[in-house]
């Protein structure tokens, strides 16, 4: 599809990222990079070790606005939330 879509898109800036899912992460639009908050975009290629063990404590440490902005279940989006929280 990229070649067909590229013929129709004009922009001075394009941001794209493609990757496979890690672990048992569900494949869904909410779990796909990049994530956006205000004028910031985020992508993370990697794995946060033992994320399921720290996820609940991590979420509890977030400001409400940041916690409520999370739409997916990935460690990458949660890493963005920690960045935003700081």
């Amino acid at each position: 599809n990229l070649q067909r879509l590229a013929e129709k898109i004009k922009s001075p800036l394009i941001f794209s990222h493609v990757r496979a899912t890690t672990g048992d992460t569900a494949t869904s639009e909410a779990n796909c990079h990049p994530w956006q908050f205000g004028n910031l975009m985020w992508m993370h290629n990697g794995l946060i070790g033992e994320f399921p063990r720290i996820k609940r404590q991590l979420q509890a440490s977030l400001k409400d606005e940041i916690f409520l902005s999370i739409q997916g279940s990935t460690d990458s989006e949660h890493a963005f939330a920690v960045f935003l929280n700081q």
Side-chain angles (χ1 to χ4, degrees), residues 53-69:
R53 286 181 39 131
I54 66 168
K55 183 177 178 180
R56 184 172 177 199
Q57 184 177 357
L58 183 151
Q59 288 175 331
S61 73
L62 299 174
K63 299 171 191 163
D64 288 342
E65 177 187 20
I66 303 303
F67 174 76
L68 294 172
S69 73

Side-chain angles (χ1 to χ4, degrees), residues 34-43 58 61-71 75-86:
W35 290 280
Q36 182 264 332
F37 188 91
N39 64 351
L40 300 173
M41 294 179 80
W42 176 273
M43 69 179 202
L58 183 151
S61 73
L62 299 174
K63 299 171 191 163
D64 288 342
E65 177 187 20
I66 303 303
F67 174 76
L68 294 172
S69 73
I70 298 172
Q71 295 185 13
D75 57 348
S76 298
E77 186 178 16
H78 282 76
F80 184 33
V82 170
F83 172 81
L84 292 170
N85 202 65
Q86 298 304 312

Side-chain angles (χ1 to χ4, degrees), residues 17-33 35 71-75 77:
H17 181 71
V18 178
R19 67 176 274 241
T21 62
T22 51
D24 295 328
T25 304
T27 303
S28 69
E29 190 170 340
N31 283 338
C32 291
H33 300 163
W35 290 280
Q71 295 185 13
S73 59
T74 65
D75 57 348
E77 186 178 16

